[in-house]
Amino acid sequence: MNHISIEQKLISREEDVTPTVLRAMQNTTDARLKELVTSLVTHLHAFVGETRPTEAEFEYGLRWIAALGHHTNDFNNEVVLAADVLGISTLIDLINNDGMQGETMSALLGPFYRGAAPICASGDCIARSDTPGAGLYFTGRVTGVNGQPIADASLDVWQASPVGLYENQDETQDDFNLRGKFTTDADGRFHFVSVKPAGYPVPTDGPVGDLLRAQNREPMRPAHIHFIVSAPGHKTLITQIFADSLEALVGDVVFGAKKQIVGNFVRYDEPHPDYPGVAAPFFTCDYEFKLVEGTPCFPVPPISGKKG
Ligand code: BEZ
Ligand code: FE
């Protein structure tokens, strides 16, 4: 490396800034941290050089980022939401989960996973408070990529109510309404009763809402149910099963819908002996979750509590 005099290390023009900042970081001990932050600084400086923000625009941008923090609390995570509407979460998801080994495609965790859901027995209903809407009888199976059943797999399930609110957003729903944790039987099977999910808008009362309005974007997510499927010796699957029209899937504000994880929701207008405990009209959905071998790794919940 060429010798740089002490004087040359002083910034005197725009072009000096990026190399000076990168030099200041060159002794980072952790090699991966060094790679990530060096690349981040290089790209951020290139973005600033290209778009040449005014000082007022810079201040606005910093206030917007600070507002992400101010709108993040026990029951809302605006930082996760921002990463989602910018498409970053889906990019990270697909880089890390390409589905190439035959496993079920993953989908975003989203900002509403609470963890600590009530443990349920197969067949339990996860609508814990009066939750008007068509019933749902969900049957599923967890297998390996070669179809062998996985017994004792755990499924963490959560969904929005038919009015489009997760219980943590809605004081009228009981704690942990529409959330539950199931375990597969010896044949890898489980089932539960619920209500058919509806599409919903992501929260728009914070800085992410301001951005979506400025971009003339609809804040809608297609109807879906979230699952975290895990079993010893297998990579944990974080996914969503979609229950909506193609148009709604394409319009997903967080770019999370994938065709491989659209469920087959079948409507019944009369009670059916195969589906006890659910009043008509109701829907059924049957889905096989395929796990690839690997190391289980559970996500840290983005929120912990409930409003009210
Ligand atoms: C969700 O599916 O819960 C979700 C995902 C991204 C942003 C907002 C909500
Ligand atoms: Fe969701």
Side-chain angles (χ1 to χ4, degrees):
M1 208 195 219
N2 293 340
H3 179 73
I4 304 170
S5 72
I6 185 92
E7 231 178 286
Q8 283 171 316
K9 288 184 179 170
L10 262 187
I11 291 171
S12 58
R13 42 187 198 127
E14 184 185 324
E15 292 72 23
D16 297 337
V17 177
T18 306
T20 304
V21 174
L22 293 179
R23 259 198 317 276
M25 299 172 169
Q26 72 189 358
N27 293 332
T28 307
T29 312
D30 184 310
R32 179 63 173 155
L33 180 68
K34 185 175 179 180
E35 180 188 3
L36 289 170
V37 182
T38 299
S39 177
L40 181 67
V41 166
T42 306
H43 284 275
L44 283 177
H45 285 215
F47 157 76
V48 170
E50 180 190 316
T51 57
R52 311 197 78 69
T54 63
E55 283 160 318
E57 286 168 341
F58 181 47
E59 280 173 23
Y60 185 92
L62 293 181
R63 275 202 306 279
W64 189 83
I65 292 171
L68 297 179
H70 292 141
H71 280 80
T72 295
N73 48 44
D74 282 352
F75 51 87
N76 184 60
N77 195 318
E78 198 80 2
V79 180
V80 171
L81 187 58
D84 294 345
V85 303
L86 293 173
I88 296 168
S89 305
T90 288
L91 199 50
I92 300 262
D93 175 26
L94 282 166
I95 286 169
N96 289 283
N97 307 285
D98 60 13
M100 291 306 278
Q101 293 176 76
E103 70 271 36
T104 298
M105 289 301 284
S106 60
L108 302 185
L109 178 69
F112 296 131
Y113 173 56
R114 272 184 75 179
I119 307 285
C120 299
S122 209
D124 278 358
C125 179
I126 59 172
R128 302 173 199 286
S129 47
D130 190 22
T131 317
L136 172 67
Y137 197 101
F138 194 101
T139 52
R141 194 167 187 226
V142 181
T143 71
V145 291
N146 297 321
Q148 73 282 14
I150 301 180
D152 291 327
S154 136
L155 296 108
D156 217 324
V157 181
W158 72 105
Q159 65 170 87
S161 72
V163 300
L165 289 171
Y166 287 87
E167 50 78 62
N168 53 283
Q169 303 173 289
D170 183 358
E171 289 162 23
T172 71
Q173 292 183 53
D174 281 0
D175 206 20
F176 286 103
N177 192 38
L178 303 178
R179 296 178 189 261
K181 211 167 182 175
F182 295 85
T183 305
T184 56
D185 66 14
D187 197 30
R189 296 183 193 279
F190 69 98
H191 68 281
F192 64 88
V193 173
S194 185
V195 286
K196 186 164 183 277
Y200 60 85
V202 299
T204 54
D205 56 350
V208 169
D210 293 339
L211 178 66
L212 295 176
R213 278 184 291 278
Q215 295 177 321
N216 293 310
R217 289 169 64 185
E218 293 297 330
M220 295 306 291
R221 288 230 62 208
H224 58 273
I225 305 174
H226 293 263
F227 291 86
I228 299 179
V229 191
S230 60
H234 292 81
K235 186 175 172 187
T236 303
L237 170 68
I238 300 173
T239 195
Q240 305 176 17
I241 300 303
F242 288 92
D244 222 320
S245 66
L246 195 54
E247 200 179 30
L249 301 181
V250 170
D252 187 355
V253 68
V254 297
F255 315 101
K258 301 185 180 108
K259 62 171 181 264
Q260 299 93 329
I261 42 178
V262 175
N264 180 24
F265 285 78
V266 179
R267 185 184 166 102
Y268 286 76
D269 287 307
E270 302 294 333
H272 191 289
D274 288 352
Y275 305 112
V278 55
F282 68 95
F283 289 79
T284 61
C285 179
D286 184 55
Y287 199 87
E288 185 162 308
F289 298 87
K290 289 188 177 291
L291 302 187
V292 67
E293 284 180 13
T295 309
C297 181
F298 228 74
V300 176
I303 56 166
S304 58
K306 171 169 166 45
K307 200 172 185 172

